[in-house]
Amino acid sequence: MGEHLKLITLLGLIVAISIGSIESANILGVFTATSPSHNIIHMAYVNALIERGHNVTVVTALPLKDENPKYHHILIPPTEASTKRMDEMKANAIKKVTIKDRMDRIESILVFGSMMADPLKDQRFQEIMQNPDNKFDLVLVGLFLFNPFYVGLAAHFRCPMAISYTTAPNNILPNFIENPTEVSYVPVSPLYGMSDLTTFKGRLFNFMKNIQFSVFTTLLNYQMEGIYNEIFPASDYPAFEEAKKKVSLVLFNYHFTDGLIRPNVPAAIECGGIQIKDKADPLPVNLEKLFNSSSEHELPGTAPNIHYYRWLPQDDLLQHPNLRLFITHAGKGAVTEAEHHGVSMVAVPMFADQIGNADQVVKNEFGLKLDKATMTESSFKEAVLEVLNNPKYTENIKRFSSLTKDRPMTAKQNAVFWIEYVIRHKGAYHMQSPAVHLNTLQIYSLDVIGFLLMVGFLVYKLITMQVKFILRKVCAMKLSKTQKIKDQ
């Protein structure tokens, strides 16, 4: 009887483990942005998927630091022209710019967009596309603003697509899943800082930014459609707007505890902190010795107190109990890791979403922000001392750390569940917002408003005509009665 009970228990455990899982799936990951920080996020999904036993083929533009033999990696380095353009953009982005510079930058960005097509045209990628034996259950694409035309890959491989986006939902992101746009209380984008939407000035600024980004995304979409038609010709592929509808999920590197409270459709999945390890890996020996022997140093300024490295295991370091302050450029991944591990910050944002991320650090009193253009040795020293010596910053971020960890599933578990859900249900298009199948006029009910205005106008004209007719009759009767009295 005891053996039978053990067998039943074992079978029960096997069934329990099997619930919600799927057989090993073939997944293609395409991450061609030339940004190492983006790859950290994207590869976190890949590593989670191979842990579940899925077969993953990964295409990147940059070498990967921690290669894993469990996935097949294909490296397609950026062209020389693309690298030069990206370097120029980075250099210009950190400068103080005029309105004219901003317009020139937009033109530069649109030119750079066409270079994102280079990896798909590369012979190594063409071999993946043309090999009839390559069957994929899902394509996972790292979205980098300039590559929405990658949606054609879902059409090519006849499978659903999931998108990895390295920051929070915003209005500069191509809205594949038609997440609601609520400009009255949701920040449009962190690119130029975060507006205080409790004030009229903040809402006005947010509204004007929305118009600006709407114009930009319209121009970008026009360009992306042209590139799509070049790589995925109409003779063999659906139209660009139709191909977009094959996007089943957008995995966002954000969580509502970040402070961005907004409505999300079911296809918007919160995966903030996906790259954070459950437990830190052992530090390299030299770093472990340095941190374990650290004491109350004097402020850096002499060589013995300054240690230079080309690369550091950031997530692991932020978990070390002796780390007291994080001086950061305020990239989304860096801020998320510091918040998760409860480390206060001094933020020196350079460009893009870093500005808005730093604003949130200040708003939440997790640390201070310094302007790269006006920062001095004195202001830097004051900021460091303030954050180190004022306990409110550590207390606030420790409290937030506890809050953001309190979830029904970890970011990794959440991502894996929904990716497998989409694979199980062949795209899970029942999750799509109805807005995906509407045009702009329909989404904003402009056609309905136009119809109602037209009906209202017709009703107004009919009522006006009736009133005029009645008035004419009344006036005619009065004239007739007056005339009869005169005749008598």
Side-chain angles (χ1 to χ4, degrees):
M1 183 66 181
E3 293 298 322
H4 289 163
L5 184 58
K6 288 181 181 178
L7 179 60
I8 293 171
T9 302
L10 179 60
L11 289 173
L13 285 171
I14 293 172
V15 171
I17 293 170
S18 300
I19 293 175
S21 66
I22 59 173
E23 294 181 0
S24 180
N26 293 321
I27 299 171
L28 173 65
V30 185
F31 315 123
T32 55
T34 54
S35 171
S37 61
H38 286 206
N39 274 357
I40 291 173
I41 304 298
H42 303 325
M43 292 306 298
Y45 294 109
V46 171
N47 289 324
L49 290 167
I50 62 174
E51 285 175 13
R52 292 281 292 174
H54 299 298
N55 304 312
V56 186
T57 299
V58 181
V59 179
T60 70
L62 297 177
L64 299 175
K65 286 190 176 297
D66 301 314
E67 289 270 8
N68 191 319
K70 292 184 179 179
Y71 57 74
H72 178 48
H73 179 214
I74 299 172
L75 177 65
I76 303 179
T79 63
E80 185 177 341
S82 180
T83 301
K84 181 179 179 181
R85 175 69 68 171
M86 176 58 84
D87 290 342
E88 290 173 354
M89 286 177 61
K90 288 178 179 177
N92 292 332
I94 63 175
K95 295 178 181 177
K96 205 76 173 178
V97 294
T98 64
I99 293 177
K100 181 181 181 301
D101 292 330
R102 290 194 188 280
M103 298 305 295
D104 292 341
R105 186 181 298 173
I106 290 175
E107 181 183 2
S108 176
I109 287 172
L110 292 175
V111 170
F112 181 77
S114 63
M115 296 183 179
M116 289 297 293
D118 291 340
L120 300 190
K121 298 175 182 178
D122 189 275
Q123 181 61 33
R124 285 160 289 194
F125 199 88
Q126 283 297 309
E127 289 174 3
I128 298 173
M129 293 182 66
Q130 302 308 324
N131 187 341
D133 294 330
N134 284 335
K135 308 291 183 183
F136 296 106
D137 300 294
L138 180 94
V139 177
L140 176 63
V141 167
L143 186 65
F144 184 57
L145 184 61
F146 317 112
N147 63 340
F149 52 86
Y150 279 38
V151 293
L153 295 176
H156 179 84
F157 292 111
R158 301 181 185 277
C159 67
M161 175 176 285
I163 285 175
S164 167
Y165 193 57
T166 57
T167 187
N170 61 68
N171 289 14
I172 200 169
L173 167 73
N175 204 350
F176 297 113
I177 55 176
E178 291 299 337
N179 233 25
T181 302
E182 303 289 348
V183 295
S184 61
Y185 63 94
V186 177
V188 168
S189 171
L191 286 180
Y192 301 124
M194 301 290 274
S195 306
D196 182 359
L197 300 184
T198 63
T199 67
F200 174 78
K201 179 182 178 182
R203 292 195 302 276
L204 175 63
F205 183 64
N206 202 53
F207 185 85
M208 297 307 294
K209 278 202 300 184
N210 184 57
I211 295 175
Q212 174 189 354
F213 286 133
S214 295
V215 172
F216 173 75
T217 51
T218 299
L219 293 172
L220 182 66
N221 191 70
Y222 179 77
Q223 185 202 24
M224 294 298 103
E225 184 172 10
I227 298 173
Y228 174 89
N229 291 335
E230 177 188 352
I231 300 175
F232 305 102
S235 57
D236 300 314
Y237 297 95
F240 183 46
E241 294 301 321
E242 285 300 311
K244 288 180 182 179
K245 297 174 184 177
K246 285 296 182 180
V247 175
S248 297
L249 295 176
V250 178
L251 306 159
F252 291 104
N253 182 29
Y254 114 105
H255 187 256
F256 72 86
T257 52
D258 293 349
L260 181 63
I261 304 300
R262 57 157 302 139
N264 287 318
V265 298
I269 309 301
E270 298 181 1
C271 299
I274 181 71
Q275 80 279 18
I276 298 172
K277 302 183 183 79
D278 297 329
K279 183 180 179 182
D281 292 334
L283 293 176
V285 175
N286 57 336
L287 287 176
E288 186 69 37
K289 182 179 179 180
L290 172 66
F291 272 75
N292 287 339
S293 63
S294 65
S295 58
E296 294 292 331
H297 291 310
E298 296 179 0
L299 282 179
T302 57
N305 278 350
I306 304 175
H307 303 269
Y308 295 95
Y309 297 90
R310 293 185 63 85
W311 177 87
L312 290 168
Q314 183 173 280
D315 181 40
D316 299 323
L317 283 174
L318 287 169
Q319 297 189 48
H320 199 285
N322 288 344
L323 187 72
R324 295 187 55 205
L325 176 68
F326 184 33
I327 301 170
T328 173
H329 68 311
K332 180 60 178 172
V335 170
T336 298
E337 290 167 19
E339 290 174 342
H340 186 89
H341 298 306
V343 180
S344 52
M345 290 168 272
V346 170
V348 188
M350 297 290 119
F351 60 94
D353 67 311
Q354 298 163 15
I355 301 167
N357 298 336
D359 286 346
Q360 285 295 99
V361 168
V362 175
K363 178 183 176 183
N364 295 325
E365 294 189 313
F366 297 158
L368 294 177
K369 169 187 173 183
L370 293 170
D371 188 327
K372 65 181 184 297
T374 60
M375 181 177 65
T376 63
E377 181 181 345
S378 176
S379 64
F380 180 76
K381 177 180 178 180
E382 289 175 7
V384 169
L385 285 175
E386 166 65 13
V387 178
L388 280 175
N389 296 329
N390 192 331
K392 75 173 182 180
Y393 301 106
T394 299
E395 291 170 0
N396 288 334
I397 202 164
K398 291 290 186 184
R399 190 180 305 114
F400 178 84
S401 174
S402 176
L403 181 68
T404 195
K405 292 175 182 176
D406 191 1
R407 311 184 192 186
M409 290 194 291
T410 65
K412 183 187 296 185
Q413 290 169 340
N414 197 37
V416 168
F417 173 83
W418 286 110
I419 289 173
E420 291 184 344
Y421 182 91
V422 162
I423 295 172
R424 276 199 303 273
H425 298 287
K426 310 300 180 184
Y429 298 113
H430 58 277
M431 291 174 60
Q432 284 184 332
S433 165
V436 169
H437 303 281
L438 303 178
N439 58 40
T440 302
L441 292 176
Q442 295 166 331
I443 289 173
Y444 293 102
S445 297
L446 297 180
D447 54 343
V448 174
I449 293 171
F451 173 77
L452 292 176
L453 288 174
M454 183 180 67
V455 170
F457 178 75
L458 292 175
V459 170
Y460 164 76
K461 293 296 289 184
L462 287 172
I463 292 174
T464 302
M465 291 170 60
Q466 288 181 338
V467 169
K468 287 181 178 179
F469 176 77
I470 293 170
L471 289 175
R472 283 197 298 268
K473 286 291 187 180
V474 170
C475 289
M477 291 173 63
K478 285 184 178 181
L479 287 173
S480 177
K481 186 175 182 180
T482 303
Q483 188 64 45
K484 286 180 180 180
I485 293 173
K486 286 182 179 180
D487 293 342
Q488 292 176 353

